[in-house]
Amino acid sequence: MVFHYDNRVVLASSGGFISLLQRSKSCNPIPMEKICFIFLFLFLSWGSCDDFKDVNEYELLLSIKASIHDPLHYLSNWNNTFFCKWNGIRCNSNSTHVTQIDLSGKNLSGKISESFFHFLYIETIDISNNQLDGTIPWNVFSCSSLVHLNLSNNNLTGWVPKGSIPNLQKLDLSNNFLSGPIPDEIGLFSSLQYLDLGGNALVGKIPKSIKNLTKLQDFTLASNQLVGELPKELGFMKSLKFIYLGYNNFSGRIPYEIGELTSLNHINLAFNNLTGEIPLTIGNLTELNYLFLYFNKLNGSIPVTLFKLKKLVSLDVSDNLLSGEIPEFVSEFRVLEVLHLFSNNFSGKIPKSITSLRHLQVLQLWSNNFWGEIPDDLGKYNNLTILDLSTNNLTGKIPQSLCDSGRLQKLILFSNSLEGNIPKRLGHCISLTRVRFQNNRLSGELSPEFVKLPLVYYLDLSANNLSGEVNNSNWKMPKLQMLSLARNKFSGELPSSFGSNKLENLDLSENDFFGSIPSGIGKFSELMELKLSHNRLSGKIPNEISSCKKLVSINFSCNHLIGKIPETLSRLPVLGNLDLSVNQLSGEIPKTLGNLESLVQVNISHNRFHGKLPSTGVFLAINSTAVTGNNLCGGASITNLPPCKEFRNFYWWFFGTALACVTFAIISVLAFLFVKRRNISVHEVKTRVESELNGGGEWELLFFDHKASKCVAIDDILKSLRERRNVVQTKNMQFHVKELKEINLNNDTVVEFKEIGKVRHPNIVKLVAICKSEKGRLVLVHEHVKGKKLSEVIGVLSWEQRWKIAAGIAKALHYLHRCCSSESIVVGNVSSSSVIVVDGKDDACIQLSLPDITKCLVSSAYVSPETKESKEITESSDMYGFGLILIELLSGKNLVDAEIGLHEDIVEWARYCYSDCHIETWVDPLLKVHAMNNPNQIIEIMSLALQCTAHDPAARPYAADVVKILGSTMRSKTFCF
């Protein structure tokens, strides 16, 4: 037992008490009355396991069972007297005493009972990977017999208790929500070999008492909020093999004393604020296999001594301020598999000796200042799977040997000055999945073999000097989802197929293609973006394009297209951008195009259109530059189009003045019908009504759904609010109503809601109406979506369901950020509570509301760090919330619990987990089978989640990119390191 006296920690044992008396001789003497108090305390409250001589272990186990919830009924056989045969229990050889309690991964919840720590002979307690909450019991360190203690991967809160157990060898409290500092008493665990406090919210500095942990081999404090410099005392811990201190806020230099730890196998100091140079003494760590220093502020060059580490398997110093050249000594890394030097200031040539690293699988040098040619034999003797040399100043040709390993999956060389042909041998690299060569000076034609690679899903060859014809027979890429050949010199007719029915993005703009747009374009049922601008295409726009129901953006500008705009374009449910400018199209603009609610941007300039511009939808606010160069009339004043000539009725010449009244009546009726029909097509329907309910008064109702304006009345809404019902049931429709209180109801608020009311997307809950009273009340009416919040059902969803839900959210964000209006709409509070999982469908809907109304800037756990400071929401802050949802979907952890409130720490925890790639330690137990069979999918989506939650908003991907990545993840293979 441990108690505190005058800020001293006293072990409740004779040795501890005697040592206190001995110290008192050299310090201030302890008064006799206080000594008596200590004796009395020891006598009355002695609580170590050793002193429960008559403890009833049967009753202790039943007490434990009573304190926790067991949904899987794992403890169902804890009901007979022979407890040594109970599930999770092991006894000594005589079957008389409990020596081990193992209840890990049994989905248990509730509190940890103090009874766990009253067993006399207990050696192992493992209750990890459950849902236990509350604080760690005060007597956790009271059993001197305890050797292994594992409480990791629960929801525990509070501080790490003080105290020690001399014989304890393993202490694992990781991946909880513990806070406060690391106790100084940690140095009293003199036998400790394994210590893991990572994945919590611990603060303060690493106590210097750690120097007493001379037997410690595995030391993990990663993913906390620790600060200060790394202590020099690390040099005393000679037995250390693994150091995981990444994902904190450590600053200062890496201590030179780290070179004393010659048994080290693994160092992870990533995601801190470390500065200075990498110490020369690191070359003393000859047993080191893994060195992770990425995402710090380290400067200077890589020390020559580092190349003495001949056993190094993975080196990652990316995202720092390192500079200088990479010496030919790199060949000393004889077993190196992963080399990450990207996002630094390295310069010089890529060393030729790197080609001799036979085990090298991943080489990422992007975003540096490397120049010269890529080494000729790169890939010839290596075992490359990922090669990324993009965004440098490389010149010369692409080596033929890059895929000689037969395993190359990702080849990223964009934004250099590479020239020459694409190597023919790459056409035989059937392992390739992702190829990006854009923004170089490549020339020549594509070989027939290169366009038949079976696994490529992403191919970007844009902004080069490539040429030749692209015809049907050449292309057979069944996995292809993204293809960009833009800004090259390709010619010939467009193929009707690229050997794939999975294309989502097709960009063939700024080439020399001619002929008509093939009708086979309608086979691309997954197509979201189609760009054919700046070519020599002729003929009509095919009607079959209406089969591409997922099209969001179409750009056919600067061609020679003729004919009318097909009426079928109005059948594209999510079309947001349409550019038909600079062609020879003619006829009238289809009125149905104005009724397409998703359409927010149109350019029809410089064609041969005539007649009246539609007065609905997107045409109400179209700019003059988007309609100029035609023979159109009408429209709003901003179009600068002439008014249309009124139809004159000359019948009075035949009927005379006697029929003038009749004629006037007919014209009046016709005018009335015209206005009525026009009002029907208007997006908004506004009415004013009186109600006597809830205090009475006048209400203004603004409907965004014409059918709803006829179905629901203000009295129905107010009755449901009075009866505390959220759903209004009418004859044919159901609506969800919600009153917003304590808001600043002004014109800006209403305007913002009007923008939300125009949103129409299958993954966004429609806002049907806004009801505003003269007394300042505001009620929103949404379509009623039957389902539950994602936060309520996330724990029972399969992997396929979670992926589809993530994809649905991403598509909604893509639509809001890019397609739904002239300015993007940001959600502000993208969270698992704002997402509804639709009953009977593996799909999700986001419910939109104003961020300042929901007060998400203050209370939501999903708010990005920059938004907390600036109070400004952006597309990037939406992506941060989406990243957190991905982490929830992958880990099964719930971020909404108000007692937790540590969403940033969950991000840090996720980064730490990803860096080690131990899937089984962080993936949701329900997904473990899938994760083991498909680790690449899980790893790639976690990588996406970390990109979305990057601290720098500029580093987060756009929603459009996320949609592509999620789609490709189900088919791609990613190397895990």
Side-chain angles (χ1 to χ4, degrees), residues 29 72 83 88 144 277 300 313 354 358 434 452 486 509 545 597 601 609 637 642 678 748 856 868 895 965:
L72 302 180
F83 52 77
S144 61
E277 298 184 357
V313 173
I354 208 167
R358 294 184 177 274
R434 190 175 180 91
K452 294 179 182 178
S509 60
I545 200 170
E597 296 176 345
Q601 189 169 349
F609 295 119
S637 59
R678 185 178 178 187
D748 290 339
C856 71
K868 288 186 175 180
L895 309 185
I965 293 171

Side-chain angles (χ1 to χ4, degrees), residues 812-840:
L813 293 176
H814 178 212
Y815 174 79
L816 291 170
H817 292 176
R818 285 290 176 268
C819 307
C820 64
S821 66
S822 57
E823 295 184 2
S824 66
I825 293 179
V826 289
V827 181
N829 187 19
V830 180
S831 68
S832 58
S833 295
S834 64
V835 174
I836 299 174
V837 179
V838 184
D839 286 350

Side-chain angles (χ1 to χ4, degrees), residues 42 233 300 307 325 360 395 429 452 457 460 679 733 755 779 800 802 806 887 897 910 912 952 974:
L42 295 174
E233 284 74 14
F307 299 99
E325 298 186 6
L360 187 64
T395 57
C429 188
K452 294 179 182 178
Y457 67 89
D460 192 342
N679 286 338
M733 304 177 71
E755 288 299 315
V779 179
E800 288 75 14
R802 298 186 198 204
I887 294 175
D897 192 336
Y912 164 67
D952 181 4
T974 303

Side-chain angles (χ1 to χ4, degrees), residues 65-329:
K65 181 181 180 181
S67 67
I68 53 182
H69 178 57
D70 176 25
L72 302 180
H73 305 292
Y74 183 72
L75 309 181
S76 59
N77 69 339
W78 284 31
N79 55 13
N80 56 62
T81 55
F82 193 48
F83 52 77
C84 289
K85 290 189 176 182
W86 291 0
N87 289 341
I89 303 300
R90 285 190 181 180
C91 295
N92 56 11
S93 58
N94 298 327
S95 297
T96 54
H97 296 290
V98 174
T99 59
Q100 178 176 323
I101 300 177
D102 185 353
L103 303 178
S104 60
K106 300 301 182 292
N107 201 25
L108 305 175
S109 58
K111 312 295 181 184
I112 298 179
S113 171
E114 294 177 10
S115 299
F116 273 105
F117 310 103
H118 285 323
F119 293 88
L120 293 177
Y121 302 96
I122 195 77
E123 295 178 1
T124 298
I125 297 177
D126 188 348
I127 48 178
S128 60
N129 295 290
N130 285 294
Q131 304 295 326
L132 300 167
D133 56 19
T135 58
I136 299 175
W138 64 273
N139 65 334
V140 64
F141 298 132
S142 63
C143 297
S144 61
S145 60
L146 200 58
V147 177
H148 298 109
L149 176 60
N150 191 346
L151 308 181
S152 64
N153 291 291
N154 281 287
N155 299 316
L156 302 176
T157 56
W159 289 23
V160 177
K162 297 180 179 181
S164 71
I165 303 175
N167 296 323
L168 194 67
Q169 296 178 13
K170 177 178 180 178
L171 175 59
D172 191 346
L173 307 180
S174 62
N175 298 328
N176 282 286
F177 300 100
L178 301 174
S179 55
I182 300 172
D184 287 334
E185 292 78 8
I186 200 73
L188 298 176
F189 290 88
S190 55
S191 299
L192 211 56
Q193 298 177 19
Y194 181 101
L195 174 62
D196 191 348
L197 303 180
N200 285 289
L202 303 177
V203 297
K205 299 181 179 181
I206 299 177
K208 294 184 178 181
S209 63
I210 60 164
K211 67 180 181 181
N212 298 322
L213 305 181
T214 56
K215 297 181 180 179
L216 195 64
Q217 299 179 21
D218 197 316
F219 185 32
T220 301
L221 300 178
S223 201
N224 280 287
Q225 299 173 10
L226 300 170
V227 297
E229 297 186 356
L230 300 178
K232 298 177 181 178
E233 284 74 14
L234 284 172
F236 289 93
M237 305 165 71
K238 308 289 187 183
S239 300
L240 275 178
K241 294 182 178 179
F242 304 93
I243 293 181
Y244 301 92
L245 304 180
Y247 304 90
N248 280 286
N249 295 310
F250 292 122
S251 56
R253 295 175 175 268
I254 300 173
Y256 287 98
E257 289 77 7
I258 202 168
E260 301 292 325
L261 309 179
T262 55
S263 297
L264 272 176
N265 175 275
H266 194 129
I267 298 178
N268 190 333
L269 306 179
F271 269 90
N272 281 292
N273 294 305
L274 300 174
T275 56
E277 298 184 357
I278 300 173
L280 291 170
T281 55
I282 208 160
N284 299 334
L285 309 180
T286 55
E287 297 297 316
L288 200 63
N289 295 149
Y290 300 92
L291 178 58
F292 295 151
L293 303 179
Y294 57 89
F295 219 102
N296 280 287
K297 299 175 182 177
L298 301 172
N299 55 35
S301 59
I302 294 180
V304 177
T305 56
L306 185 66
F307 299 99
K308 294 181 181 180
L309 307 181
K310 300 183 185 299
K311 295 184 179 181
L312 207 59
V313 173
S314 182
L315 173 62
D316 192 340
V317 294
S318 60
D319 282 299
N320 278 287
L321 305 173
L322 298 169
S323 58
E325 298 186 6
I326 307 301
E328 297 291 341
F329 296 132

Side-chain angles (χ1 to χ4, degrees), residues 551-611:
L551 264 176
V552 172
S553 179
I554 297 176
N555 191 340
F556 292 163
S557 64
C558 299
N559 280 287
H560 305 298
L561 300 175
I562 61 173
K564 298 181 179 181
I565 298 177
E567 293 271 356
T568 53
L569 284 182
S570 305
R571 301 175 190 171
L572 298 174
V574 293
L575 184 64
N577 297 281
L578 177 63
D579 192 344
L580 305 177
S581 61
V582 195
N583 278 285
Q584 299 171 26
L585 298 168
S586 58
E588 296 186 357
I589 309 300
K591 294 181 180 179
T592 53
L593 206 58
N595 297 331
L596 189 57
E597 296 176 345
S598 61
L599 194 60
V600 295
Q601 189 169 349
V602 170
N603 191 343
I604 54 175
S605 62
H606 300 289
N607 279 282
R608 298 174 181 175
F609 295 119
H610 66 269

Side-chain angles (χ1 to χ4, degrees), residues 813 817 825-830 874-882:
L813 293 176
H817 292 176
I825 293 179
V826 289
V827 181
N829 187 19
V830 180
T874 62
E875 293 178 16
S876 293
S877 58
D878 275 357
M879 298 316 298
Y880 185 90
F882 177 74

Side-chain angles (χ1 to χ4, degrees), residues 433-723:
T433 62
R434 190 175 180 91
V435 180
R436 301 186 67 186
F437 290 167
Q438 71 267 29
N439 295 316
N440 279 287
R441 300 172 184 173
L442 301 175
S443 59
E445 299 184 6
L446 302 180
S447 68
E449 293 79 16
F450 185 78
V451 295
K452 294 179 182 178
L453 294 173
L455 300 180
V456 171
Y457 67 89
Y458 192 105
L459 178 59
D460 192 342
L461 306 178
S462 60
N464 280 286
N465 296 312
L466 297 167
S467 59
E469 293 191 3
V470 178
N471 55 54
N472 291 331
S473 60
N474 283 344
W475 288 84
K476 291 183 181 179
M477 288 186 164
K479 302 290 185 181
L480 196 60
Q481 297 177 34
M482 188 280 178
L483 173 63
S484 179
L485 304 180
R487 301 187 297 285
N488 278 287
K489 298 177 181 178
F490 290 112
S491 60
E493 295 189 354
L494 295 179
S496 59
S497 171
F498 291 91
S500 170
N501 58 2
K502 300 176 181 178
L503 266 177
E504 297 177 359
N505 293 78
L506 178 60
D507 189 352
L508 306 180
S509 60
E510 298 185 52
N511 280 284
D512 197 29
F513 291 115
F514 57 82
S516 60
I517 301 174
S519 59
I521 199 85
K523 297 178 182 179
F524 298 143
S525 59
E526 301 295 317
L527 200 61
M528 295 188 292
E529 189 172 35
L530 176 60
K531 295 182 179 180
L532 304 178
S533 62
H534 292 85
N535 283 287
R536 294 190 294 125
L537 299 174
S538 57
K540 297 181 179 181
I541 300 174
N543 287 318
E544 288 81 1
I545 200 170
S546 63
S547 299
C548 305
K549 299 297 184 183
K550 297 183 180 181
L551 264 176
V552 172
S553 179
I554 297 176
N555 191 340
F556 292 163
S557 64
C558 299
N559 280 287
H560 305 298
L561 300 175
I562 61 173
K564 298 181 179 181
I565 298 177
E567 293 271 356
T568 53
L569 284 182
S570 305
R571 301 175 190 171
L572 298 174
V574 293
L575 184 64
N577 297 281
L578 177 63
D579 192 344
L580 305 177
S581 61
V582 195
N583 278 285
Q584 299 171 26
L585 298 168
S586 58
E588 296 186 357
I589 309 300
K591 294 181 180 179
T592 53
L593 206 58
N595 297 331
L596 189 57
E597 296 176 345
S598 61
L599 194 60
V600 295
Q601 189 169 349
V602 170
N603 191 343
I604 54 175
S605 62
H606 300 289
N607 279 282
R608 298 174 181 175
F609 295 119
H610 66 269
K612 184 177 181 181
L613 190 72
S615 56
T616 56
V618 67
F619 296 103
L620 290 172
I622 196 168
N623 194 281
S624 60
T625 58
V627 295
T628 189
N630 290 287
N631 190 27
L632 296 167
C633 64
S637 59
I638 59 174
T639 63
N640 293 329
L641 294 176
C644 296
K645 295 180 180 180
E646 295 293 334
F647 173 76
R648 294 184 179 180
N649 193 335
F650 294 100
Y651 282 107
W652 65 275
W653 290 103
F654 302 97
F655 294 101
T657 57
L659 298 176
C661 294
V662 176
T663 304
F664 177 77
I666 293 173
I667 293 175
S668 299
V669 171
L670 291 175
F672 172 78
L673 293 175
F674 173 79
V675 171
K676 182 177 181 182
R677 180 176 299 174
R678 185 178 178 187
N679 286 338
I680 289 174
S681 63
V682 170
H683 194 61
E684 300 173 0
V685 178
K686 183 184 292 186
T687 61
R688 289 183 178 272
V689 294
E690 293 281 343
S691 176
E692 298 180 358
L693 296 177
N694 298 357
E698 185 180 69
W699 286 79
E700 180 182 282
L701 276 60
L702 180 60
F703 285 94
F704 304 103
D705 187 307
H706 180 72
K707 184 186 296 185
S709 67
K710 295 184 177 182
C711 295
V712 64
I714 187 63
D715 285 352
D716 297 329
I717 296 171
L718 295 177
K719 283 179 182 179
S720 68
L721 292 173
R722 184 177 62 186
E723 297 170 4

